[in-house]
Amino acid sequence: MLSSKESLTQRKKLPVSTRQGPPKALEKDWPKDNDEVEEKEEEENYVLHDPERGLDSLPQPYRMINKLVELLFDQSWELIEERAALRQADSTRIRPTVYTPVSEIQLSQRPSCMAMSQDYVFFGGAKGFSIYNLYNAERLYAWEKLRVDVTSIGVTDLGSEILIAPVDEMGIIRLFYLYKDALFLIKAINEVDDASKQPTCVKMEISQGGDFAAFLLQGAGDTWLDVYKLPREAWLKEAEHLPLTLNPKKKVRPLSTMDPITPDSADMDVNFSFKSDVKLSPPVHIMKIKPPKPITGTTFKSPLEAFAKVEDCLGLGSGQNHLIRDSQWEQRADLFHASYKKHLDRELGEEPLSSATFYFLLPSCVTSMPAEAKSSSGVAYVLGIHWTGSHNFFLYSLNRTLKDRAEPEGVWPCAAPIAASRLSCSSSYLVLACEDGVLTLWDVAEGFPLGVIALPEGCFCQSIHFLKYFVVHKGQNLYPEGPVKSQVKCVVLCTNTSLHLVTASSTQGPTSQVLVTRPVKLLDETICAVAPVPTLPGMVLTFARNGSMSLMDVAKAEVVCAFALPRAPRLAVTWKPLFAVSLHHPCFLLQGDCPGKEEPTSDTEDTRNSVFCFNFEAYPLLKNISKNRTISQEGSTENLALPLEKRCELLLQKSFQKLKTSLVTKDQEWIRLRRYSTLLQKENFRK
């Protein structure tokens, strides 16, 4: 006999199936009372009426997976309903008339930039640029002598002369002079022998008369502005004494057909010649401007010592000559860092180099010039510039030499940093837009501000575009004949893609009108570029992110018509279209990649590098607008654009005309009354 302890140990070693003892009762063999039996019968006979209740009883993780699938389905269904509603609204929306281009210019390579003058079109591309005739799309000359591509090109039309300034991928800017049928290379402005020390040209600007040029350069962690005086009269004399061979005039084909003009089909006779052996007079460097120094502590002990550093009190307002100590700056910096420590502790990237926006201003009451420096009218005298993050707009006199110190003669301080600015084509009006959404409008010609206006809340200026002043006469936009003074109309594109019309005059403060609001649902219709059309009064071109183009009447805030490329071509970059609007002719050019066939079969199919021309005079809706563009000052309904004496004279003439018409009507009414009275007398006598 085994002991109880040994028996227990031996039982543990045996498998479950061989263990001795009575088997344990299972759960299904347990005795059940009547309630449990009834409950089991109810469960067997239960019919599930709500399927969702059955899913709730699923074990994890199937219950969570089911909820995620349901959430995904609901979101997909909401998106489908939203797209269906958008398609329904889009189908019921009234669409404007769509016009296609009237002509096509086929290029041998894709252009990277383009510019227009009065008679020519300039395309920048691989290793140089080419010149085309605007009227017949014939290539006149191709200058391709660079090792890299041209990224941007600037053109200044001076009548019989044209200044061309292409910038290549290395940031080198060259100045060309086009006179009659000869092309001259004047100078490579910023080219150096050592490539490691090569500065890059970021911006350039040429004055209205072609007498001055300014180039913004960056290099070696520094930024500066080089200003040159252009010897235009010397260039004209040097070019006239050369034996230029003028090509005979060829038959011009109007831009009214859609037949593509290819380099093979067009007449490839070179009409222009490059004069590489002729050296024209180089530009004269007159000034080098650097960004303003950061404001630091002063060593001045009295206001008189600070004022002694300011010559002729012309630099007041720049913030340089002050009486703030270093300790005060340090205390202010400590307070600022303590208040915004959690935001300043984040890692910040490298601070970008400072940039600048600059303009050439004509002599006026604001930019007065000394008597000994009087020059011919239309010649720039002052350079206006503002740097990124700066509150000040600086004015520099151009009547100086390189030996003179580049100190500003005037400073216009603003309440907030200047974010954007724009000078009108006539150099008469200037708009300064601050980062807080406030616009300041200046009448530079007359020398007084037209007013200050704030954009709606949440709208900040992205770009400003001046419109040639127009009036609305009998429901039609027209340009008044003669000069218009102190009347401004400009279009402002905001950072939230909304479009506003700002109007100001000397007799009335500036007003703002919303032309296009930011789309909430159709985000692909947001405006990415705006261009005024000088030949059509009150019209602007708008380009959307989806590649659509439309012509808008800002007076009515409605779309007149739309434009589209033929045979379903595509833009290279829809949100950054490459286009050029003519200042002298009712047309604009647009670059587009058109497939080789009408229906391409694959994405790798060859495409044509085409530039399309849209001529407004060829479209029925715009034909009358392009022909009837001006109205006499007497017939204008808005005589505020006229001088005071002229307005008084017109008012007196209108009053005399009203008096004459009133006298005529009174005489007619008196005659009618006399006739009626005689008839009454005759009837009384009969009775």
Side-chain angles (χ1 to χ4, degrees), residues 330-346:
E330 293 175 359
Q331 292 176 3
R332 182 184 178 189
D334 294 340
L335 291 174
F336 181 81
H337 283 275
S339 302
Y340 301 97
K341 183 179 180 180
K342 60 180 181 179
H343 301 285
L344 297 174
D345 288 342
R346 300 175 182 175

Short mmCIF file of all heavy atoms in Angstrom, two decimals, residues 330-346:
data_model
loop_
_atom_site.label_atom_id
_atom_site.label_comp_id
_atom_site.label_asym_id
_atom_site.label_seq_id
_atom_site.Cartn_x
_atom_site.Cartn_y
_atom_site.Cartn_z
N GLU A 330 19.21 96.02 -24.52
CA GLU A 330 19.33 94.73 -23.87
C GLU A 330 18.14 94.42 -22.97
O GLU A 330 17.64 93.29 -22.94
CB GLU A 330 20.63 94.69 -23.07
CG GLU A 330 21.89 94.73 -23.95
CD GLU A 330 23.15 94.82 -23.12
OE1 GLU A 330 23.02 94.88 -21.87
OE2 GLU A 330 24.26 94.85 -23.71
N GLN A 331 17.67 95.44 -22.22
CA GLN A 331 16.50 95.23 -21.38
C GLN A 331 15.27 94.89 -22.21
O GLN A 331 14.47 94.00 -21.86
CB GLN A 331 16.25 96.48 -20.53
CG GLN A 331 17.31 96.74 -19.48
CD GLN A 331 17.06 98.04 -18.75
OE1 GLN A 331 16.06 98.72 -18.99
NE2 GLN A 331 17.98 98.39 -17.84
N ARG A 332 15.12 95.59 -23.33
CA ARG A 332 13.98 95.32 -24.19
C ARG A 332 14.06 93.91 -24.78
O ARG A 332 13.05 93.20 -24.87
CB ARG A 332 13.92 96.35 -25.32
CG ARG A 332 12.74 96.18 -26.24
CD ARG A 332 12.79 97.16 -27.38
NE ARG A 332 11.69 96.98 -28.30
CZ ARG A 332 11.57 97.58 -29.48
NH1 ARG A 332 12.49 98.44 -29.85
NH2 ARG A 332 10.53 97.36 -30.25
N ALA A 333 15.27 93.49 -25.18
CA ALA A 333 15.44 92.14 -25.73
C ALA A 333 15.15 91.07 -24.68
O ALA A 333 14.54 90.03 -24.98
CB ALA A 333 16.85 91.99 -26.29
N ASP A 334 15.59 91.31 -23.44
CA ASP A 334 15.32 90.35 -22.37
C ASP A 334 13.83 90.20 -22.10
O ASP A 334 13.32 89.09 -21.92
CB ASP A 334 16.05 90.77 -21.09
CG ASP A 334 17.56 90.69 -21.25
OD1 ASP A 334 18.02 89.98 -22.16
OD2 ASP A 334 18.27 91.37 -20.48
N LEU A 335 13.11 91.32 -22.08
CA LEU A 335 11.67 91.26 -21.88
C LEU A 335 10.97 90.52 -23.03
O LEU A 335 10.05 89.73 -22.81
CB LEU A 335 11.10 92.68 -21.74
CG LEU A 335 11.48 93.44 -20.47
CD1 LEU A 335 10.97 94.88 -20.55
CD2 LEU A 335 10.90 92.76 -19.24
N PHE A 336 11.44 90.76 -24.22
CA PHE A 336 10.82 90.10 -25.38
C PHE A 336 11.06 88.59 -25.32
O PHE A 336 10.15 87.79 -25.56
CB PHE A 336 11.40 90.69 -26.66
CG PHE A 336 10.82 90.11 -27.92
CD1 PHE A 336 9.60 90.54 -28.40
CD2 PHE A 336 11.49 89.11 -28.61
CE1 PHE A 336 9.06 90.00 -29.56
CE2 PHE A 336 10.96 88.56 -29.76
CZ PHE A 336 9.74 89.01 -30.23
N HIS A 337 12.28 88.17 -25.03
CA HIS A 337 12.59 86.74 -24.97
C HIS A 337 11.86 86.07 -23.82
O HIS A 337 11.45 84.91 -23.93
CB HIS A 337 14.10 86.54 -24.83
CG HIS A 337 14.85 86.74 -26.11
ND1 HIS A 337 15.01 85.74 -27.04
CD2 HIS A 337 15.46 87.83 -26.62
CE1 HIS A 337 15.70 86.19 -28.07
NE2 HIS A 337 15.99 87.46 -27.85
N ALA A 338 11.69 86.78 -22.70
CA ALA A 338 10.97 86.20 -21.57
C ALA A 338 9.49 86.02 -21.89
O ALA A 338 8.85 85.05 -21.44
CB ALA A 338 11.14 87.08 -20.34
N SER A 339 8.91 86.91 -22.67
CA SER A 339 7.48 86.84 -23.01
C SER A 339 7.19 85.77 -24.05
O SER A 339 6.15 85.13 -24.02
CB SER A 339 6.98 88.21 -23.50
OG SER A 339 7.20 89.20 -22.52
N TYR A 340 8.12 85.58 -24.98
CA TYR A 340 7.87 84.66 -26.10
C TYR A 340 8.93 83.56 -26.13
O TYR A 340 9.42 83.17 -27.19
CB TYR A 340 7.87 85.42 -27.43
CG TYR A 340 6.84 86.51 -27.49
CD1 TYR A 340 7.20 87.84 -27.22
CD2 TYR A 340 5.52 86.23 -27.81
CE1 TYR A 340 6.26 88.85 -27.27
CE2 TYR A 340 4.58 87.24 -27.86
CZ TYR A 340 4.95 88.54 -27.59
OH TYR A 340 4.01 89.54 -27.64
N LYS A 341 9.29 83.06 -24.94
CA LYS A 341 10.35 82.07 -24.85
C LYS A 341 9.96 80.76 -25.53
O LYS A 341 10.76 80.15 -26.24
CB LYS A 341 10.68 81.80 -23.37
CG LYS A 341 11.83 80.82 -23.18
CD LYS A 341 12.14 80.62 -21.71
CE LYS A 341 13.29 79.64 -21.53
NZ LYS A 341 13.61 79.42 -20.10
N LYS A 342 8.71 80.33 -25.35
CA LYS A 342 8.29 79.04 -25.91
C LYS A 342 8.27 79.06 -27.44
O LYS A 342 8.42 78.02 -28.08
CB LYS A 342 6.92 78.65 -25.38
CG LYS A 342 5.83 79.65 -25.72
CD LYS A 342 4.49 79.17 -25.16
CE LYS A 342 3.36 80.15 -25.51
NZ LYS A 342 2.07 79.68 -24.97
N HIS A 343 8.08 80.24 -28.02
CA HIS A 343 8.12 80.33 -29.48
C HIS A 343 9.54 80.51 -29.99
O HIS A 343 9.87 80.04 -31.09
CB HIS A 343 7.26 81.51 -29.94
CG HIS A 343 5.82 81.40 -29.53
ND1 HIS A 343 4.93 80.54 -30.12
CD2 HIS A 343 5.13 82.05 -28.55
CE1 HIS A 343 3.74 80.65 -29.55
NE2 HIS A 343 3.83 81.57 -28.59
N LEU A 344 10.39 81.19 -29.23
CA LEU A 344 11.75 81.45 -29.67
C LEU A 344 12.68 80.27 -29.46
O LEU A 344 13.76 80.22 -30.04
CB LEU A 344 12.31 82.68 -28.95
CG LEU A 344 11.57 83.99 -29.22
CD1 LEU A 344 12.13 85.09 -28.34
CD2 LEU A 344 11.69 84.38 -30.68
N ASP A 345 12.29 79.33 -28.59
CA ASP A 345 13.14 78.18 -28.33
C ASP A 345 13.17 77.19 -29.48
O ASP A 345 14.04 76.31 -29.53
CB ASP A 345 12.68 77.45 -27.06
CG ASP A 345 13.00 78.25 -25.81
OD1 ASP A 345 13.85 79.17 -25.91
OD2 ASP A 345 12.40 77.99 -24.75
N ARG A 346 12.23 77.31 -30.39
CA ARG A 346 12.21 76.40 -31.53
C ARG A 346 13.40 76.68 -32.44
O ARG A 346 13.89 77.79 -32.54
CB ARG A 346 10.90 76.58 -32.32
CG ARG A 346 9.66 76.29 -31.50
CD ARG A 346 8.41 76.61 -32.31
NE ARG A 346 7.21 76.38 -31.52
CZ ARG A 346 5.98 76.68 -31.95
NH1 ARG A 346 5.81 77.19 -33.16
NH2 ARG A 346 4.94 76.45 -31.17
#
